[in-house]
Amino acid sequence: MAGDPHCPAEPLAREGTLWEALRALLPHTKEDLKLDLGEKVERSMVTLLQRATELFYEGRRDECLQTSEVILDYSWEKLNTGTWRDIDKDWRRVYAIGCLLKALCLCQAPEDATTVATALRVCDMGLLLGTAILGDILLKVAAILQAHLPGKRPAQSSTLEQPCTKVDVENPDLEKFPEFAKAPFLSCILSPGEILFIPVQYWHYVRALDLSFSVSFWWS
């Protein structure tokens, strides 16, 4: 999903409009850029998120960037305290807002395409490990960043268009999604050393049976 990071000498495409396009996605005030987090998120983290938001809206880029790094480091540890289904969704929201703030801070004063590619990779991490926040703002930010990378344009199936199912595959709500009961499927168990190729636009669901490490790559 991210662009080529090895192009430090290339100028940005339509550089003058990048920040304006990103800023247009955001709420006008810091009060509107907030998440209603549950009690499982420590008060200290809520305070840190509020502080990072204040720094961003005050234009204190370097301090906001540093604070967002702290948010990401701490929430990353929380995301790795158990299986994915056991992690409280609010911690994925914390991780996503940390990625959003970091990506935006990087793009406030981009020096070259490498900076934007780095911000795009940050968005990718938020999309992979976080969850939807603020009307899927990370998807929208990623699409804008892709469009501003030189020589790289979103493919026909761009990040903005990549769908995510709202169905809990293992415990589906058939009243809300009645057609899901009719969906055909194939299932398999991968053993160590095996690989599974999933064709483009094929819906898929994965669950680890024990400790594992997964890598996703989107071919353009």
Side-chain angles (χ1 to χ4, degrees):
M1 293 166 68
D4 185 357
H6 305 296
C7 50
E10 289 190 82
L12 290 171
R14 302 189 298 279
E15 181 176 356
T17 64
L18 174 59
W19 177 243
E20 289 84 351
L22 293 174
R23 188 63 182 84
L25 297 176
L26 300 173
H28 293 298
T29 66
K30 63 184 180 182
E31 289 75 20
D32 294 325
L33 185 63
K34 63 180 180 180
L35 299 174
D36 294 322
L37 300 171
E39 60 184 16
K40 289 190 177 181
V41 177
E42 294 97 327
R43 182 61 191 171
S44 59
M45 175 53 68
V46 175
T47 301
L48 197 61
L49 285 167
Q50 292 172 344
R51 179 59 177 161
T53 302
E54 290 173 0
L55 291 170
F56 175 78
Y57 276 89
E58 291 170 4
R60 297 159 68 178
R61 173 184 178 272
D62 292 342
E63 293 173 80
C64 180
L65 185 59
Q66 185 178 26
T67 306
S68 67
E69 291 280 12
V70 175
I71 292 170
L72 289 174
D73 287 345
Y74 191 81
S75 57
W76 171 265
E77 295 298 326
K78 289 292 185 179
L79 295 182
N80 288 276
T81 56
T83 61
W84 188 245
R85 65 187 305 175
D86 294 331
I87 303 299
D88 191 88
K89 190 174 182 179
D90 277 344
W91 278 112
R92 286 190 269 159
R93 297 172 75 195
V94 170
Y95 187 81
I97 194 69
C99 288
L100 173 65
L101 290 172
K102 180 178 179 179
L104 292 173
C105 287
L106 288 170
C107 293
Q108 276 189 278
E111 297 177 358
D112 49 43
T114 302
T115 307
V116 177
T118 299
L120 183 54
R121 287 196 298 273
V122 173
C123 284
D124 287 347
M125 292 300 294
L127 290 168
L128 288 170
L129 299 178
T131 191
I133 57 169
L134 304 172
D136 283 331
I137 191 171
L138 279 175
L139 285 171
K140 299 170 186 176
V141 170
I144 290 174
L145 294 177
Q146 283 180 319
H148 281 78
L149 284 174
K152 297 283 186 179
R153 292 294 178 269
Q156 187 67 28
S157 178
S158 67
T159 301
L160 187 60
E161 296 167 340
Q162 289 172 3
C164 295
T165 181
K166 304 300 182 183
V167 179
D168 182 343
V169 176
E170 295 193 5
N171 186 29
D173 183 346
L174 296 180
E175 291 187 3
K176 188 174 182 181
F177 305 103
E179 294 300 310
F180 184 75
K182 305 175 185 177
F185 67 93
L186 297 173
S187 65
C188 68
I189 297 178
L190 294 181
S191 299
E194 295 182 333
I195 189 172
L196 175 66
F197 172 75
I198 303 174
V200 65
Q201 296 185 351
Y202 268 58
W203 290 97
H204 57 279
Y205 171 76
V206 179
R207 177 164 61 89
L209 300 179
D210 52 21
L211 184 64
S212 66
F213 179 84
S214 61
V215 176
S216 298
F217 185 87
W218 284 265
W219 296 91
S220 60

